[in-house]
Short mmCIF file of all heavy atoms in Angstrom, two decimals:
data_model
loop_
_atom_site.label_atom_id
_atom_site.label_comp_id
_atom_site.label_asym_id
_atom_site.label_seq_id
_atom_site.Cartn_x
_atom_site.Cartn_y
_atom_site.Cartn_z
N ILE A 76 -95.67 80.15 -11.35
CA ILE A 76 -95.54 78.77 -10.81
C ILE A 76 -94.82 77.89 -11.76
O ILE A 76 -93.99 77.06 -11.42
CB ILE A 76 -96.90 78.23 -10.41
CG1 ILE A 76 -97.42 78.91 -9.15
CG2 ILE A 76 -96.86 76.71 -10.18
CD1 ILE A 76 -98.86 78.59 -8.76
N LEU A 79 -91.05 78.16 -11.34
CA LEU A 79 -90.39 77.77 -10.09
C LEU A 79 -89.55 76.52 -10.29
O LEU A 79 -89.84 75.67 -11.15
CB LEU A 79 -91.46 77.52 -9.01
CG LEU A 79 -92.32 78.72 -8.65
CD1 LEU A 79 -93.38 78.31 -7.57
CD2 LEU A 79 -91.47 79.86 -8.12
N VAL A 80 -88.56 76.37 -9.42
CA VAL A 80 -87.66 75.21 -9.48
C VAL A 80 -87.94 74.34 -8.26
O VAL A 80 -87.87 74.79 -7.14
CB VAL A 80 -86.19 75.67 -9.48
CG1 VAL A 80 -85.26 74.46 -9.40
CG2 VAL A 80 -85.90 76.48 -10.74
N GLU A 81 -88.32 73.06 -8.52
CA GLU A 81 -88.61 72.07 -7.47
C GLU A 81 -89.74 72.46 -6.55
O GLU A 81 -89.87 71.98 -5.44
CB GLU A 81 -87.33 71.76 -6.64
CG GLU A 81 -86.26 71.13 -7.51
CD GLU A 81 -85.03 70.74 -6.68
OE1 GLU A 81 -85.03 70.95 -5.46
OE2 GLU A 81 -84.07 70.21 -7.27
N VAL A 82 -90.63 73.36 -7.07
CA VAL A 82 -91.89 73.66 -6.40
C VAL A 82 -92.96 73.64 -7.51
O VAL A 82 -92.74 74.26 -8.56
CB VAL A 82 -91.90 75.04 -5.72
CG1 VAL A 82 -93.27 75.39 -5.17
CG2 VAL A 82 -90.89 75.08 -4.58
N TYR A 83 -94.01 72.88 -7.26
CA TYR A 83 -95.01 72.67 -8.33
C TYR A 83 -96.39 73.10 -7.77
O TYR A 83 -96.58 73.21 -6.58
CB TYR A 83 -95.03 71.23 -8.77
CG TYR A 83 -93.64 70.65 -8.95
CD1 TYR A 83 -93.12 69.77 -8.06
CD2 TYR A 83 -92.90 71.06 -10.06
CE1 TYR A 83 -91.81 69.27 -8.24
CE2 TYR A 83 -91.59 70.58 -10.24
CZ TYR A 83 -91.08 69.67 -9.32
OH TYR A 83 -89.78 69.19 -9.47
N GLY A 84 -97.33 73.31 -8.68
CA GLY A 84 -98.65 73.69 -8.27
C GLY A 84 -99.73 73.06 -9.08
O GLY A 84 -99.51 72.68 -10.25
N ILE A 93 -99.81 74.03 -3.70
CA ILE A 93 -98.52 73.31 -3.85
C ILE A 93 -98.74 71.85 -4.08
O ILE A 93 -99.57 71.20 -3.44
CB ILE A 93 -97.64 73.58 -2.65
CG1 ILE A 93 -97.18 75.03 -2.60
CG2 ILE A 93 -96.42 72.64 -2.69
CD1 ILE A 93 -96.41 75.40 -1.35
N SER A 94 -98.02 71.24 -5.04
CA SER A 94 -98.09 69.84 -5.36
C SER A 94 -96.77 69.15 -5.06
O SER A 94 -95.70 69.82 -4.92
CB SER A 94 -98.39 69.66 -6.86
OG SER A 94 -99.57 70.27 -7.24
N THR A 101 -99.10 72.46 -14.00
CA THR A 101 -97.75 73.01 -14.10
C THR A 101 -97.21 72.86 -15.52
O THR A 101 -96.60 73.75 -16.08
CB THR A 101 -96.82 72.29 -13.11
OG1 THR A 101 -97.27 72.55 -11.76
CG2 THR A 101 -95.38 72.83 -13.24
N ARG A 105 -96.04 75.84 -18.18
CA ARG A 105 -94.72 75.89 -18.82
C ARG A 105 -94.89 75.89 -20.37
O ARG A 105 -94.11 76.57 -21.05
CB ARG A 105 -93.91 74.70 -18.36
CG ARG A 105 -93.47 74.81 -16.91
CD ARG A 105 -92.76 73.56 -16.43
NE ARG A 105 -92.28 73.71 -15.06
CZ ARG A 105 -91.76 72.76 -14.33
NH1 ARG A 105 -91.59 71.55 -14.89
NH2 ARG A 105 -91.33 72.98 -13.11
N LEU A 140 -100.57 81.24 -3.33
CA LEU A 140 -100.27 79.82 -3.44
C LEU A 140 -100.55 79.15 -2.09
O LEU A 140 -99.96 79.53 -1.07
CB LEU A 140 -98.83 79.63 -3.85
CG LEU A 140 -98.37 78.19 -4.10
CD1 LEU A 140 -99.25 77.50 -5.16
CD2 LEU A 140 -96.90 78.15 -4.55
N ASP A 157 -88.77 79.24 1.22
CA ASP A 157 -88.60 78.25 0.17
C ASP A 157 -89.13 78.77 -1.16
O ASP A 157 -88.50 78.56 -2.25
CB ASP A 157 -89.30 76.96 0.52
CG ASP A 157 -88.63 76.21 1.69
OD1 ASP A 157 -87.49 76.58 2.01
OD2 ASP A 157 -89.27 75.31 2.26
N LEU A 158 -90.31 79.45 -1.12
CA LEU A 158 -90.86 79.98 -2.33
C LEU A 158 -89.95 81.04 -2.96
O LEU A 158 -89.71 81.06 -4.17
CB LEU A 158 -92.21 80.61 -2.06
CG LEU A 158 -93.48 79.79 -2.23
CD1 LEU A 158 -94.72 80.64 -1.96
CD2 LEU A 158 -93.55 79.18 -3.65
N SER A 161 -86.96 79.40 -4.56
CA SER A 161 -87.33 78.71 -5.80
C SER A 161 -87.60 79.74 -6.89
O SER A 161 -87.17 79.52 -8.03
CB SER A 161 -88.58 77.85 -5.56
OG SER A 161 -89.05 77.28 -6.76
#
Side-chain angles (χ1 to χ4, degrees):
I76 288 172
L79 299 178
V80 175
E81 296 184 0
V82 174
Y83 315 107
I93 292 174
S94 302
T101 298
R105 291 174 176 173
L140 184 56
D157 291 345
L158 267 183
S161 176

